[in-house]
Amino acid sequence: MDNWDDLKFVLAVSKAGSLAKAARSLGVTHSTVSRRLSALEERMGTRLFDRLPEGFTATSAGQEAIAAARRVEAEVLALDTRILAQDAELEGPLRVTAAQLIFQAQLAEIIARFKELHPRIDVTMNAANEVLSLHRREADIAVRVTDKPDESLFGRLATGQNRCFYTSKDYLRQNQDALMESATMKPVKFVAFKWWGSTPPKTLRDRFPNAEVSTVSDDMIAMHAAVRAGMGIGRLPCFLGDADPALVRLPGMEPSRYFDIWILTHPDLKNVARIRSFLKFAADAFKANSSFYLGK
């Protein structure tokens, strides 16, 4: 193997299981991945992957190549991290990842103010619901909604959060008799969030035994839209529900605890000037606005 770059293609195919997915992860075309892999196999005189209907499966030779690719990748990432850790200037690239909703709520505003103070820092915002890896240097800083931040990362607790039950003003008006009662057998609609369970939570069933799910959402923005559209009661983070004038809290229900917001980075990068500066700036900004997230 005379081209180290070939290992990158082998590793991408191994992770993705198909040429198309590997191509997307590498930012190249499907035909490029196919051509590079076939050329490598021809030069080495052996197949690295079996092409099966369910996807690409590594042969014994392929497994050897994948193991080597992983070692090379780990060394390159470690070198990149060590070099960046020596950077003491408030300039250069800074990649921040967070869920789209967090950017909408406050993070974009925080980044805008940070850029005013440090115009030589080039901030890239990656609005990703999937968790990008800080260890693999897919981002420099991650703002995550979690109660269990990765212990191998370094960061700050930005703010706690609460959540509450909300409904649209129209839905409340149309179902006022049922929704204003402390307990009732009348049916009410509930918008469920897939990751919290696809049935009405116990606190809601205790008050509305005949509560039924009108729809299930796997995305918080979509769930907010469903509640706003009058599809029923939904449990939302306070910063999202309270900020929408079309929504009201369900009468008689108090906010309950929700996941915290953390700002995290790789521990080897915590002393990089631009990263350290942003960590403190963003954490202070979230903390100053904690009542917004706690629903106070």
Side-chain angles (χ1 to χ4, degrees):
M1 183 175 292
D2 56 0
N3 188 349
W4 293 103
D5 198 46
D6 287 335
L7 287 174
K8 181 172 64 175
F9 286 81
V10 172
L11 190 57
V13 173
S14 169
K15 290 177 179 178
S18 73
L19 295 181
K21 290 180 180 178
R24 284 197 295 272
S25 71
L26 293 169
V28 298
T29 64
H30 175 285
S31 59
T32 296
V33 179
S34 178
R35 184 176 65 254
R36 291 289 294 268
L37 183 59
S38 295
L40 175 61
E41 289 178 324
E42 184 175 347
R43 289 200 308 274
M44 298 186 72
T46 186
R47 282 183 299 106
L48 299 178
F49 293 94
D50 288 325
R51 280 73 164 169
L52 304 175
E54 59 270 22
F56 278 53
T57 301
T59 63
S60 58
Q63 290 172 358
E64 290 280 350
I66 292 164
R70 286 173 177 156
R71 291 194 294 271
V72 171
E73 180 188 52
E75 286 296 325
V76 171
L77 291 172
L79 174 63
D80 187 40
T81 299
R82 289 195 298 271
I83 292 173
L84 179 57
Q86 300 174 27
D87 192 343
E89 299 296 327
L90 280 170
E91 61 181 29
L94 180 66
R95 298 166 298 165
V96 181
T97 181
Q100 180 181 336
L101 200 55
I102 299 299
F103 278 112
Q104 289 181 193
Q106 188 183 5
L107 185 54
E109 177 190 343
I110 290 172
I111 291 173
R113 289 192 282 117
F114 183 77
K115 282 281 294 176
E116 290 176 359
L117 294 173
H118 307 291
R120 292 166 64 188
I121 297 178
D122 300 318
V123 182
T124 299
M125 300 190 297
N126 191 324
N129 286 323
E130 70 272 14
V131 178
L132 298 186
S133 173
L134 298 177
H135 289 290
R136 290 174 49 80
R137 295 297 319 285
E138 293 173 340
D140 300 312
I141 288 176
V143 180
R144 291 183 178 158
V145 177
T146 179
D147 275 352
K148 296 180 179 179
D150 187 337
E151 293 182 356
S152 67
L153 298 175
F154 173 85
R156 293 171 176 243
L157 171 61
T159 180
Q161 285 198 93
N162 283 331
R163 61 185 179 181
C164 197
F165 291 100
Y166 294 87
T167 183
S168 70
K169 291 180 178 178
D170 286 342
Y171 188 81
L172 176 62
R173 185 168 53 251
Q174 294 165 7
N175 299 272
Q176 189 164 357
D177 290 346
L179 298 182
M180 296 298 285
E181 296 180 24
S182 58
T184 180
M185 296 301 293
K186 295 176 181 177
V188 298
K189 301 289 187 183
F190 176 72
V191 179
F193 190 52
K194 177 181 177 180
W195 312 113
W196 297 345
S198 56
T199 59
K202 183 178 183 304
T203 50
L204 200 68
R205 294 197 309 271
D206 288 345
R207 180 169 166 182
F208 307 115
N210 287 336
E212 57 186 51
V213 173
S214 63
T215 187
V216 179
S217 171
D218 68 348
D219 176 81
M220 187 60 68
I221 295 176
M223 182 177 174
H224 173 220
V227 176
R228 205 173 195 276
M231 297 183 71
I233 301 166
R235 187 159 58 179
L236 302 169
C238 288
F239 79 82
L240 185 58
D242 289 344
D244 189 340
L247 302 185
V248 292
R249 291 185 184 182
L250 182 63
M253 300 295 266
E254 294 297 321
S256 59
R257 190 179 180 282
Y258 187 39
F259 300 124
D260 299 326
I261 296 179
W262 286 79
I263 305 178
L264 304 164
T265 190
H266 191 288
D268 291 347
L269 303 182
K270 65 182 180 182
N271 291 321
V272 175
R274 60 183 178 273
I275 292 176
R276 182 179 68 248
S277 180
F278 184 82
L279 278 174
K280 184 178 186 308
F281 184 87
D284 289 347
F286 275 109
K287 196 172 294 294
N289 204 22
S290 60
S291 61
F292 175 58
Y293 297 94
L294 294 171
K296 294 182 177 177

